[in-house]
Amino acid sequence: QFLYFIGEMSGQSLEQEHESDYDDERLEAQRATHVHSSDEKDAILRVDVNEEVIELNNLRIFSFDELELDKLTNCTVLELRKNLLHKLMPFPANLRANLLELDLFDNKIRHIGPYFSHCDSPAFMESKLPHLRPDLLASNGGTGCAYRCLRKLDLSYNQISSIAGLDDLGPTLEELYLVENKIKVVQGLSKLTSLKLLELGGNQIRSVASGLEALVNLEQLWLGKNKIDTIGPGFVTLRKLKRLSLQANRLTSIPVGSFPAGAHPQLTELYLSENGLTEIANVEALSALTLLDVSFNPIASLFLNRGHDTADKDEGLDVPQTVLTPINFPELEEFWLTDGKIENWNEIKAVFEPFASTLRTIYLERNPIERDKRYRNKVLLALPFVDQIDSWPVVNRDDPEQDRAIRR
């Protein structure tokens, strides 16, 4: 049994019909009613309703009413990417009960609404989908959340302004994507205690001081391209966090106490690029870090700006301080500071030479020191243990400048 659609050729994985298959009456009827313009490149697509993975991408679907979703009896992964869906509507009970992943990336949805919460009430379903048969409306018990297995929900690139109505997904939902919406406040997440990945990049969030406390199982948190200007204590309870991205925000400093000692024993990757940071400070408690990204920040020194005020004395000279030490970061493998303002070669050797046993990748391109014609040679001379300088692996150790000719 198949569903048929006429849609744009978009490289999607739906099966394109061949001329030999044009004997199906429904297909013929759909072809007859479709008017081709001279510049259209449309294809007739066939979807096997018995498949577990159903992809209905880039088909200009405006409403769920256009779909015979009750026929998708085995579907566990449903993709409706790049369509024109404006409103969420309840799915048939059998589909809701089986779904593991739901992908609504790049549509026109404005509200999440009540559709993931107690939406299998027959009265509620009948009011929203009157065309469904009574047996489908009444199936599945009619109580509680019908999305019993949903692990991944992608609502990225829509027009959602607030997070609400997801509470009943808490026991199962592990990945939630809300990239490029219009969200201003982190809220409505307190029941999603099973979340392992949360993607809120490309919104209008200004603060992360609250709203995340209950996500105790979260491993990845992506908050890039927002308007966050301070961190606050919002991450303190996220002890299982492994990756944290605050890229492309408005941070000018990392306040004391943002990353308390012992609060993030598993955090291995921290992305702070494209902010307004002028120094690397107050991250020294993140002892599990293997990757630290501070690229595209106006950082002029690897030492603390206040170093001369708190420095130890050595023979009457001030000794500048840095948090970049193997004691603080015993596992550090990668350090990224592309597009900074580093101009002192002595700092490179002084700071990173002690990392000989762990550091293997360093990004320093487009800093003032790169103006030196022997830039790669001098980096390797100072740090002979690294395997990659910027985007190029070190292949020609006798003349590492030749590595730039290698296609990446």
Side-chain angles (χ1 to χ4, degrees):
Q1 192 173 19
F2 300 94
L3 298 179
Y4 295 92
F5 298 90
I6 295 180
E8 296 175 357
M9 293 290 289
S10 58
Q12 53 198 345
S13 60
L14 294 173
E15 181 180 351
Q16 180 174 350
E17 285 297 277
H18 300 287
E19 290 295 331
S20 59
D21 298 318
Y22 284 171
D23 55 352
D24 187 281
E25 292 183 1
R26 287 183 62 194
L27 183 55
E28 289 289 348
Q30 190 168 13
R31 291 179 65 209
T33 58
H34 182 66
V35 180
H36 289 269
S37 63
S38 59
D39 58 348
E40 274 188 316
K41 295 181 179 179
D42 288 353
I44 298 175
L45 306 167
R46 184 176 72 173
V47 179
D48 186 345
V49 297
N50 295 313
E51 292 291 333
E52 293 185 1
V53 178
I54 303 294
E55 300 175 351
L56 305 175
N57 302 325
N58 202 18
L59 292 171
R60 295 168 288 187
I61 299 170
F62 185 82
S63 170
F64 288 106
D65 289 332
E66 301 175 29
L67 308 173
E68 297 176 278
L69 295 176
D70 56 303
K71 294 184 178 181
L72 305 182
T73 54
N74 296 321
C75 180
T76 60
V77 177
L78 178 59
E79 292 188 8
L80 289 157
R81 299 167 68 95
K82 295 182 178 293
N83 283 291
L84 300 172
L85 295 167
H86 284 68
K87 183 184 297 186
L88 288 171
M89 298 183 69
F91 290 171
N94 64 311
L95 178 58
R96 286 178 282 138
N98 293 331
L99 271 184
L100 299 175
E101 300 182 12
L102 176 59
D103 191 340
L104 297 168
F105 177 98
D106 197 4
N107 280 278
K108 308 294 182 182
I109 299 167
R110 297 192 176 194
H111 305 287
I112 299 176
Y115 303 108
F116 296 101
S117 178
H118 299 287
C119 60
D120 57 347
S121 161
F124 180 85
M125 289 287 288
E126 187 171 10
S127 68
K128 298 299 182 181
L129 293 178
H131 62 280
L132 286 182
R133 301 195 313 269
D135 60 319
L136 290 173
L137 291 173
S139 63
N140 229 29
T143 58
C145 181
Y147 292 88
R148 300 173 181 175
C149 307
L150 195 64
R151 298 176 185 172
K152 177 181 176 181
L153 175 61
D154 193 340
L155 290 163
S156 298
Y157 286 84
N158 280 281
Q159 301 172 19
I160 297 167
S161 59
S162 65
I163 307 172
L166 299 176
D167 287 1
D168 283 1
L169 300 180
T172 61
L173 194 65
E174 296 181 354
E175 298 182 21
L176 176 59
Y177 300 85
L178 289 163
V179 183
E180 292 290 343
N181 278 281
K182 299 180 179 181
I183 298 167
K184 295 183 178 180
V185 179
V186 180
Q187 61 184 6
L189 301 171
S190 61
K191 301 296 184 181
L192 305 185
T193 54
S194 297
L195 269 189
K196 294 182 179 180
L197 184 152
L198 176 60
E199 169 65 276
L200 290 170
N203 282 282
Q204 302 170 22
I205 299 168
R206 294 182 180 274
S207 173
V208 287
S210 62
L212 299 168
E213 299 89 347
L215 307 184
V216 294
N217 290 303
L218 199 64
E219 297 178 0
Q220 298 186 50
L221 177 57
W222 303 89
L223 292 164
K225 199 180 175 185
N226 276 282
K227 300 179 179 180
I228 301 168
D229 57 11
T230 188
I231 295 178
F235 306 134
V236 174
T237 60
L238 310 182
R239 291 186 56 81
K240 293 186 179 181
L241 201 60
K242 297 179 180 180
R243 293 178 178 173
L244 173 60
S245 171
L246 288 159
Q247 298 165 292
N249 276 284
R250 299 178 179 180
L251 298 172
T252 56
S253 66
I254 305 298
V256 175
S258 298
F259 301 106
H264 303 94
Q266 300 182 45
L267 188 61
T268 58
E269 298 179 15
L270 177 60
Y271 301 91
L272 297 169
S273 60
E274 296 185 68
N275 279 282
L277 302 176
T278 57
E279 65 175 349
I280 305 169
N282 300 320
V283 294
E284 59 269 20
L286 302 176
S287 58
L289 281 188
T290 61
L291 186 155
L292 177 59
D293 176 15
V294 288
S295 297
F296 297 93
N297 280 285
I299 297 173
S301 175
L302 299 173
F303 296 105
L304 296 172
N305 295 341
R306 60 182 183 275
H308 289 282
D309 297 327
T310 60
D312 296 329
K313 303 293 180 179
D314 182 14
E315 298 180 357
L317 298 176
D318 290 341
V319 179
Q321 303 294 295
T322 180
V323 301
L324 297 171
T325 69
I327 294 176
N328 292 334
F329 305 116
E331 308 295 331
L332 190 66
E333 299 175 3
E334 300 190 34
F335 178 79
W336 301 357
L337 180 46
T338 299
D339 276 279
K341 296 184 179 298
I342 305 297
E343 54 185 333
N344 188 337
W345 277 105
N346 293 330
E347 289 190 7
I348 305 302
K349 184 176 179 67
V351 171
F352 292 113
E353 189 176 41
F355 286 95
S357 62
T358 63
L359 190 68
R360 294 296 175 264
T361 299
I362 189 165
Y363 280 78
L364 294 168
E365 59 187 336
R366 295 193 294 279
N367 278 269
I369 58 173
E370 194 191 21
R371 298 170 188 161
D372 193 311
K373 293 182 179 180
R374 300 185 64 250
Y375 161 71
R376 285 180 62 84
N377 300 66
K378 294 180 73 170
V379 171
L380 190 60
L381 184 64
L383 311 173
F385 45 83
V386 298
D387 296 325
Q388 182 172 328
I389 300 173
D390 304 328
S391 301
W392 292 271
V394 177
V395 177
N396 302 288
R397 289 191 171 270
D398 293 334
D399 186 7
E401 288 295 338
Q402 294 183 13
D403 295 339
R404 293 179 185 265
I406 299 174
R407 284 192 175 185
R408 291 178 285 181

